Amino acid sequence: MSKFSNYNFAGQKALVRVDFNVPLDKQTAAINDDNRMRATIPTIKKILNDGGSAILMSHLGRPKDGPEEKSSLKHLVKHLSELLNGATVLFASDCIGEQAYLTANMLRPGEVLLLENLRFYKEEEKGDAAFAEKLSKLGDVYVNDAFGTAHRAHASTAVIAQFFPAEKRMFGLLMEAEVASAEKVMHETKKPFVAIIGGAKVSDKILIIENLLERATDIIIGGGMAYTFMKAEGGEIGNSLCEEDRLQTALDLLKKAEAKGVCIHLPSDSIIADKFAADAGTSTSPSNNIPDGWLGLDIGPSACDQFSSVIKKSKTILWNGPMGVFEMAKFQHGTKTIAAAVAAATDAGAFSLVGGGDSVAAVNQFGFADKVSYVSTGGGALLEYFEGKELPGIAAIKE
Ligand code: 3PG
Ligand code: MG
């Protein structure tokens, strides 16, 4: 059993860093996607069920100049209480200061205190030690459950850990599960290992592809970034997305892959459109021979077969980034087909990890979230993990 599971929180005030950076409706401040909140509920429940209380701290958005209405965590209080079966959730309108300390002090077992947005203080992102120390005074024990923010060396995610003795700082259940699944892909890899990388830009994915070249058997490249590779190899890509300044990078990656014996799979064909719009005229074309005035917005039928057969023979699967513009019905077939292939491989015994905002939205939208092994709450954090970087939020607990 893990440190967190073994810990008895009875009579303890647990200071828990969560990642409640959820999308809010611009007009109504309603929560558009509560997955990150749901993901950390088991951690909070364990603390409360033990007879402890939980003081939750998080950021929301990227406020630049102190407090602002639209980034207030007060918008989450009611829903959080519902997710906790009606548990009392108090709110402190300042994450440090008198009200926060008084409320934390009088918090009773089974109760929750949610602190206001940490980023209303610039000290949070600066990793200011004095600010971290002030936060640390709010709880007896520090639990980090914020995998989504683990790549930030901020006051509440990393710096704060030093103010708790080793036995009083630990991962929460979500963080444990995230780290365990990431390690399964990165370090306990069963081969063949396929990485499916999509999304718009090559420039965002260079480091992860380079690191995966050391580990993967196959790398599937889809989404807008595939056309930069197509053009680099001399293809005609019409008006498709292309990063002209990354053509050489794309060629270098292909060359490195060949030298390392890693198979890179580019989509043989594409669904092309006469404009970037949901009602565009469409056709199918080889991905390296797209007519002028047309642009590739999804992988085509042959590419779907080509990619699915690679995925279905794999034992480990990492998926980051969609295959096309799946938000539009005409261009969602590729991403949907890949989701189905990942689900089929998982059913046949493969371990599959899906992470990064858009691919997670896709598996949720198409109903495959419970048919893959693990859906990560991390976007940037997961990417940096697979780039081979040490995440400050993880390192601080381990030190
Ligand atoms: C995220 O959503 O990427 C995390 O919550 C971290 O937020 P940030 O990118 O603004 O640091
Ligand atoms: Mg981010």
Side-chain angles (χ1 to χ4, degrees):
M1 283 235 286
S2 72
K3 189 164 169 182
F4 179 85
S5 305
N6 277 323
Y7 196 91
N8 184 357
F9 288 90
Q12 298 271 302
K13 293 188 197 308
L15 180 61
V16 190
R17 179 43 159 111
V18 292
D19 187 338
F20 282 177
N21 186 24
V22 293
L24 298 183
D25 183 275
K26 283 201 176 68
Q27 255 78 52
T28 64
I31 301 162
N32 283 333
D33 176 350
D34 69 349
N35 274 306
R36 279 185 167 175
M37 293 176 74
R38 284 178 189 279
T40 197
I41 293 299
T43 298
I44 304 168
K45 278 191 174 164
K46 143 83 177 159
I47 293 166
L48 304 184
N49 289 342
D50 274 2
S53 51
I55 298 147
L56 308 182
M57 50 180 180
S58 180
H59 72 289
L60 176 62
R62 291 178 174 172
K64 286 279 162 284
D65 301 302
E68 55 181 32
E69 173 74 14
K70 66 169 187 189
S71 303
S72 173
L73 280 162
K74 71 179 182 200
H75 302 302
L76 276 59
V77 171
K78 186 167 166 277
H79 188 56
L80 179 60
S81 174
E82 286 161 7
L83 291 176
L84 291 166
N85 310 106
T88 299
V89 178
L90 304 172
F91 182 71
S93 56
D94 183 354
C95 63
I96 50 176
E98 204 175 348
Q99 188 212 355
Y101 294 104
L102 290 176
T103 317
N105 267 334
M106 51 167 248
L107 209 58
R108 286 176 302 195
E111 291 182 342
V112 175
L113 168 62
L114 177 62
L115 303 174
E116 182 56 290
N117 196 337
L118 296 158
R119 289 190 184 172
F120 287 172
Y121 286 89
K122 60 183 183 330
E123 287 84 348
E124 163 65 359
E125 289 178 75
K126 286 189 174 148
D128 184 83
F131 177 69
E133 189 171 15
K134 282 182 196 158
L135 290 170
S136 74
K137 303 276 189 252
L138 288 159
D140 307 312
V141 41
Y142 171 66
V143 177
N144 190 350
D145 218 21
F147 181 71
T149 327
H151 56 319
R152 307 290 183 215
H154 294 173
S156 68
T157 59
V159 181
I160 193 172
Q162 65 187 289
F163 299 107
F164 293 86
E167 71 279 8
K168 287 193 180 287
R169 56 169 197 252
M170 61 195 80
F171 295 152
L173 295 172
L174 172 62
M175 190 72 134
E176 284 176 359
E178 293 275 4
V179 172
S181 11
E183 281 182 353
K184 237 176 167 163
V185 173
M186 186 86 139
H187 299 296
E188 301 147 35
T189 330
K190 287 208 184 94
K191 302 275 179 120
F193 168 25
V194 62
I196 309 161
I197 307 293
K201 288 157 104 191
V202 180
S203 47
D204 291 340
K205 305 288 165 91
I206 295 167
L207 295 177
I208 190 171
I209 294 175
E210 278 188 338
N211 195 37
L212 290 169
L213 286 176
E214 306 296 328
R215 299 160 200 281
T217 320
D218 299 272
I219 299 180
I220 287 173
I221 294 180
M225 61 187 280
Y227 301 103
T228 299
F229 283 89
M230 287 292 166
K231 179 149 184 196
E233 288 193 304
E236 302 285 344
I237 60 167
N239 295 23
S240 305
L241 218 58
C242 180
E243 284 177 279
E244 297 287 343
D245 58 339
R246 300 296 178 174
L247 294 172
Q248 190 55 46
T249 311
L251 279 183
D252 291 345
L253 288 171
L254 292 171
K255 230 180 275 162
K256 270 189 214 166
E258 198 178 341
K260 291 189 180 295
V262 179
C263 274
I264 301 250
H265 305 268
L266 293 166
S268 51
D269 63 349
S270 293
I271 303 297
I272 58 171
D274 56 7
K275 59 178 175 181
F276 185 88
D279 64 349
T282 64
S283 181
T284 304
S285 156
S287 300
N288 61 3
N289 196 12
I290 298 175
D292 282 343
W294 292 74
L295 65 166
L297 293 186
D298 193 10
I299 58 172
S302 317
C304 281
D305 291 346
Q306 170 201 1
F307 289 179
S308 294
S309 75
V310 175
I311 293 166
K312 285 178 184 167
K313 68 170 177 38
S314 299
K315 287 274 161 274
T316 302
I317 302 165
L318 172 66
W319 183 13
N320 175 276
M323 296 292 103
V325 187
F326 72 95
E327 301 87 343
M328 299 179 192
K330 287 186 176 181
F331 312 110
Q332 63 178 218
H333 182 71
T335 302
K336 216 175 186 169
T337 304
I338 292 320
V342 174
T346 309
D347 192 43
F351 182 81
S352 55
L353 170 55
V354 183
D358 285 344
S359 23
V360 172
V363 293
N364 283 326
Q365 182 180 326
F366 301 138
F368 287 101
D370 56 358
K371 297 185 174 69
V372 298
S373 308
Y374 193 77
V375 179
S376 177
T377 57
L382 193 82
L383 211 58
E384 289 198 20
Y385 180 92
F386 284 103
E387 285 171 358
K389 292 184 187 145
E390 180 170 73
L391 305 188
I394 294 176
I397 294 285
K398 289 188 169 167
E399 265 153 25

